[in-house]
Amino acid sequence: MKHFETIIIGGGPAGSSCAWKLKQQGRTALILDKQNFPRLKLCAGWITSKVLDDLEFTKADYPYPILDLKVRMHVNPIPFSFTWFPTRWANYSIRRTEFDHWLLERSGTPVVSHHVKQIVQEEGLYIIDNEFSCKYLVGAGGTMCPVRRTFFSKLRRKEDQIATLEKEFEYPQRQDTCHLFFFYRGLKGYSWYVPKGNGHVNIGIGGLSVGFRKSGANIHDLFKKFLGDLVQEGLLDASTAENLKDTGHPYYLYAYEGEVKRENCFLIGDSAGLASVDMGEGIGPAIESGLMVANEIGGTASYQKRSTSHTSFGGVLGWLAERFWITEQA
Ligand SMILES: Cc1cc2nc3c(=O)[nH]c(=O)nc-3n(C[C@H](O)[C@H](O)[C@H](O)COP(=O)(O)OP(=O)(O)OC[C@H]3O[C@@H](n4cnc5c(N)ncnc54)[C@H](O)[C@@H]3O)c2cc1C
């Protein structure tokens, strides 16, 4: 049995940020991830400047393309669009396959390729698959996290689940502007066209699963229609649109209820369901929560789930989004 003070399950932004902060505090940890990095992660790859600030790096430090996003918002069904994106920070796009790998390497923490199946608690220690033991256990395994499944099964509410479909591909002729289509064709959510710095583009749609169930709308049909509309708008050529196959992944919006720590065991990022309620932004909250847990293990601060709203827009817009956007849909 190999023993570590802290074991983090999942090497995404939540896990690697926690590991990076622990390392800064002179503590040792091990990351277990079932996938080998660089790995594919479905995500539009929109991040804010807060992510860079929290992790103490600048655009110049980042070795891959990082694009400043100029965002055009379209509000359907009104034919109304404007170039403005009311978040509190500057907005960028990255490719997750590059970003996550870089963060993991930057954490300076050993990573073992291991698919965690079973976790038990014995005499104050967490035992993972009879192979690894630790004093502190951090669940950073995303939507399907085994730590959440084992110790926090009642944490999330099904009405907070977002269903998504997306595709990221090389498309050198892509536009430089990011387009967001709110309430696209009655979608209880939004669809996006996010350009990346290296001639790639990410196209997708996302909305509360409960909205799809209630309206009977099929997410795959909607995605196909979205591609057709992008062709009409001149954002995509018809032959590319025809050959695109979508892929989906669910995750959870922030819900106030439910604990995210129990004794020396913590949940961070998507495993805790921390995405912002207005935009479904999950990378920033994953990083923030990873840093907070490292600080709790290091004895400098306590990890608490916020009891107030968690929005990307903030201010009045965030308040409105939280009150009407989400509750209207459910
Ligand atoms: C289509 C889509 C678009 C999105 N767009 C954005 C966006 O533009 N901006 C934004 O901020 N957020 C976006 N999000 C949300 C964002 O991707 C997530 O919130 C973020 O990845 C959460 O990070 P994480 O580290 O918690 O989990 P993840 O990045 O999911 O990492 C979890 C890791 O745990 C590992 N793991 C899981 N189970 C096990 C196991 N049993 N054993 C070992 N390892 C395991 C996985 O292999 C994975 O590497 C989007 C999500 C989707 C689905």
Side-chain angles (χ1 to χ4, degrees):
M1 182 98 60
K2 297 167 206 105
H3 182 78
F4 297 83
E5 183 186 43
T6 301
I7 291 184
I8 301 166
I9 299 178
S16 61
S17 303
C18 184
W20 173 77
K21 194 74 190 176
L22 285 171
K23 173 94 177 174
Q24 280 198 328
Q25 296 169 350
R27 294 185 169 265
T28 53
L30 175 75
I31 296 174
L32 300 176
D33 202 296
K34 65 182 180 187
Q35 298 183 76
N36 292 315
F37 283 65
R39 57 110 168 79
L40 175 73
K41 167 69 191 137
L42 296 188
C43 184
W46 157 60
I47 58 169
T48 68
S49 51
K50 183 173 187 301
V51 160
L52 280 63
D53 294 346
D54 283 353
L55 290 176
E56 297 171 28
F57 70 91
T58 65
K59 278 170 61 186
D61 300 323
Y62 187 61
Y64 298 102
I66 177 165
L67 189 71
D68 285 273
L69 281 187
K70 189 167 73 173
V71 184
R72 188 149 191 89
M73 294 172 68
H74 305 252
V75 184
N76 292 285
I78 315 152
F80 177 55
S81 71
F82 48 95
T83 307
W84 183 54
F85 197 46
T87 51
R88 287 164 276 188
W89 297 280
N91 300 288
Y92 309 118
S93 70
I94 44 82
R95 295 196 69 209
R96 286 295 297 273
T97 177
E98 297 164 348
F99 184 71
D100 289 16
H101 189 214
W102 183 70
L103 289 186
L104 196 57
E105 286 194 330
R106 184 177 181 258
S107 76
T109 302
V111 183
V112 169
S113 177
H114 180 92
H115 189 158
V116 174
K117 301 231 164 61
Q118 190 206 41
I119 310 167
V120 292
Q121 202 179 0
E122 272 171 24
E123 296 167 10
L125 293 179
Y126 298 94
I127 315 287
I128 300 164
D129 295 330
N130 281 321
E131 258 188 72
F132 306 94
S133 68
C134 58
K135 177 175 178 194
Y136 298 106
L137 177 65
V138 183
T143 308
M144 309 304 285
C145 185
V147 179
R148 185 195 57 75
R149 215 172 45 229
T150 310
F151 298 112
F152 302 87
S153 59
K154 295 203 176 77
L155 178 69
R156 297 176 317 198
R157 306 183 318 166
K158 61 179 186 316
E159 58 267 38
D160 297 314
Q161 191 193 59
I162 321 176
T164 62
L165 284 183
E166 65 136 59
K167 190 73 193 171
E168 184 160 309
F169 53 99
E170 207 171 345
Y171 192 62
Q173 63 272 44
R174 60 147 180 72
Q175 275 200 6
D176 270 347
T177 304
C178 167
H179 293 264
L180 301 179
F181 302 83
F182 290 89
F183 307 111
Y184 172 76
R185 287 181 182 257
L187 172 68
K188 312 292 189 191
Y190 67 96
S191 52
W192 64 82
Y193 173 101
V194 180
K196 305 287 170 106
N198 47 1
H200 282 69
V201 64
N202 187 296
I203 289 170
I205 61 178
L208 284 186
S209 301
V210 71
F212 287 107
R213 273 199 302 277
K214 279 193 172 174
S215 67
N218 180 298
I219 190 168
H220 295 277
D221 291 345
L222 214 52
F223 187 78
K224 274 202 195 104
K225 285 181 182 142
F226 182 47
L227 294 180
D229 288 341
L230 290 178
V231 172
Q232 293 283 322
E233 298 252 354
L235 288 166
L236 199 60
D237 65 55
S239 65
T240 305
E242 212 161 281
N243 294 316
L244 284 185
K245 298 257 177 304
D246 56 63
T247 326
H249 183 75
Y251 66 113
Y252 286 81
L253 294 178
Y254 192 92
Y256 303 148
E257 55 201 51
E259 286 304 313
V260 285
K261 72 176 176 187
R262 199 184 114 180
E263 299 172 28
N264 288 335
C265 179
F266 308 90
L267 284 186
I268 56 179
D270 273 7
S271 71
L274 297 181
S276 69
V277 292
D278 46 2
M279 291 297 296
E281 174 197 0
I283 301 170
I287 289 168
E288 222 175 79
S289 57
L291 299 177
M292 285 164 83
V293 162
N295 283 336
E296 164 136 355
I297 293 171
T300 55
S302 167
Y303 176 46
Q304 299 293 343
K305 202 169 181 184
R306 292 180 217 211
S307 58
T308 52
S309 77
H310 182 72
T311 64
S312 299
F313 291 154
V316 175
L317 263 178
W319 183 84
L320 283 172
E322 191 188 7
R323 282 236 139 20
F324 301 110
W325 167 260
I326 297 306
T327 45
E328 279 290 298
Q329 294 172 59

